[in-house]
Amino acid sequence: MNASRRIPVPSPQENRLVPSDWILADCRQPSLEHAERARARQDQLTKPQGSLGRIETLAVELAALQRVDRPALARVPVIVFAGDHGVVAQGVSAFPSEVTVQMLHNFANGGAAISVLARELGLPLRLVDAGTRASQPIAGVHADKPCLGTRDFSIEAAMDEDELAHALAAGRRAVEAAGDADLFVFGEMGIGNTTAASALACALADLPLEELVGAGTGLQGDRIAHKQQVIARALALHRPHIDAHAQPAREALRRVGGLEIAAMAGAMIAAAQRGVPVLVDGFIVSAAALAAVALQPQARPWLLFSHQSAERGHARVLAALEARPLLQLDLRLGEGSGAALAVPLLRLACALHNGMATFAEAAVSGRDDAP
């Protein structure tokens, strides 16, 4: 490995490389008892049963996940993970790698879309440099990275074992640092990460590459075809090693993933182990979810899906996860922006569930099921 990529591992305990055995620890289970109670309450609220559609089922699902009769989303931390990608050297992005760090400064200064959304919604925003090329600290950004970006996975593995272990654990540390939470929103920033997400989704779910590779930061025509060719060559290089590995999902993440993608996968698993649901954002975060579920299948019930983005491969990844997104707004920004936009919808689902009167409380006649 190029020595310039490696950075010293920080000495504090929370930043040391740790084994990844924690990933296999059991996740909490949703409460069927609370789901049944929430469903019974929905049937008694002053409305025809089912008339609020998925708003009703969202409230029931949140009650089960939070193990409470009255779910709430007062504490919703947003954590944005940033990382750089060596594969950008192959011309797969419309923007240069320098933009990752520049945008991280923009996040910290409050000028990015997710910064505005978090501020308007009252959501605490935490920024984690999980593997950018920034060699100096950035004010307002927590650095937790083993190296300065991944290698070019079109010619070699993106990460070594220690780097992957660090990135996964960085996600867990970020979840722990956020403190008590009712719901997590994870976002990402990393020039080249749609390329990594496409390669990872193809490797994990055996999805057709031509249906995954899209515009990313704004590629068109021949540039998209070139991006597809780069990924196809990379998969031809790495797939035999992935298929032969005892843990193919882990090997796929190591070989064609990204540091910020691995950190999000680790964060999702850690959240599920703590019993906190995650509102999944767009294509890249969904690819991280695919990796998280492949690494720890018990994490799947804790993932809610905010929207279907305009990025070509997102619908295929959602289908692989058997996910039903809440919104479709033709977004393709990333950063956690689509998930943040869906937070008010979930909050309103909780408010309706908790605040509406029952037929008995309102002295309103209930449904007459007599023939």
Side-chain angles (χ1 to χ4, degrees):
M1 181 183 68
N2 185 340
S4 66
R5 288 184 61 258
R6 177 75 73 176
I7 62 175
V9 178
S11 57
Q13 180 65 38
E14 66 269 17
N15 284 338
R16 288 180 185 161
L17 290 174
V18 296
S20 298
D21 296 347
W22 64 270
I23 288 174
L24 302 179
D26 287 341
C27 299
R28 295 192 184 182
Q29 296 297 313
S31 169
L32 296 179
E33 178 184 352
H34 287 92
E36 286 303 317
R37 291 212 294 261
R39 195 172 294 110
R41 174 173 172 79
Q42 282 288 333
D43 289 346
Q44 293 302 313
L45 296 180
T46 48
K47 58 177 175 57
Q49 291 181 14
S51 59
L52 284 175
R54 291 191 65 195
I55 296 298
E56 296 183 17
T57 58
L58 275 174
V60 172
E61 190 169 2
L62 287 168
L65 293 172
Q66 294 183 354
R67 306 182 75 86
V68 295
D69 291 336
R70 306 289 179 94
L73 297 178
R75 302 164 299 182
V76 184
V78 178
I79 307 176
V80 176
F81 298 90
D84 274 309
H85 297 260
V87 73
V88 171
Q90 300 298 323
V92 295
S93 174
F95 288 84
S97 288
E98 291 78 8
V99 170
T100 301
V101 174
Q102 292 166 358
M103 281 299 298
L104 205 48
H105 283 280
N106 190 30
F107 291 145
N109 292 331
I114 191 58
S115 308
V116 174
L117 289 167
R119 187 163 62 241
E120 289 296 312
L121 294 169
L123 311 178
L125 176 61
R126 181 174 176 83
L127 307 173
V128 178
D129 181 350
T132 76
R133 293 183 177 182
S135 57
Q136 299 297 323
I138 300 174
V141 178
H142 176 73
D144 190 354
K145 58 186 179 182
C147 55
L148 306 179
T150 58
R151 300 173 186 81
D152 179 354
F153 69 67
S154 71
I155 57 177
E156 59 182 321
M159 293 170 262
D160 65 26
E161 290 287 352
D162 284 347
E163 290 163 355
L164 175 59
H166 188 113
L168 289 165
R172 181 179 66 167
R173 288 189 286 266
V175 164
E176 292 171 347
D180 292 337
D182 300 314
L183 177 80
F184 279 110
V185 168
F186 300 136
E188 42 64 38
M189 177 63 213
I191 296 301
N193 61 11
T194 59
T195 301
S198 298
L200 184 61
C202 190
L204 289 174
D206 197 25
L207 297 172
L209 185 58
E210 63 274 10
E211 295 183 20
L212 290 174
V213 180
T217 52
L219 296 177
Q220 297 180 352
D222 291 345
R223 295 288 300 276
I224 295 177
H226 171 71
K227 179 178 174 180
Q228 182 175 324
Q229 291 164 5
V230 169
I231 297 171
R233 291 199 305 271
L235 290 171
L237 172 66
H238 297 298
R239 197 180 291 278
H241 302 280
I242 294 169
D243 292 344
H245 200 274
Q247 298 180 354
R250 184 180 179 86
E251 187 67 356
L253 189 56
R254 184 181 79 83
R255 285 183 170 270
V256 299
L259 291 158
E260 82 280 32
I261 294 173
M264 288 190 293
M268 290 175 196
I269 294 170
Q273 289 168 341
R274 291 181 63 181
V276 181
V278 174
L279 186 57
V280 178
D281 190 45
F283 178 54
I284 295 121
V285 185
S286 296
L290 200 61
V293 172
L295 291 168
Q296 173 48 283
Q298 293 178 14
R300 176 61 186 86
W302 298 92
L303 305 181
L304 308 174
F305 293 82
S306 61
H307 74 113
Q308 180 178 316
S309 78
E311 185 65 25
R312 180 182 296 174
H314 195 202
R316 293 304 300 262
V317 173
L318 290 172
L321 287 161
E322 298 182 348
R324 292 182 64 200
L326 299 171
L327 304 171
Q328 186 166 354
L329 300 172
D330 295 333
L331 306 174
R332 57 179 181 87
L333 175 61
E335 303 178 7
S337 56
L341 286 166
V343 168
L345 187 64
L346 269 66
R347 283 178 165 170
L348 288 170
C350 293
L352 288 164
H353 180 81
N354 300 336
M356 284 183 68
T358 64
F359 285 103
E361 290 167 345
V364 173
S365 299
R367 174 174 167 173
D368 183 1
D369 289 321

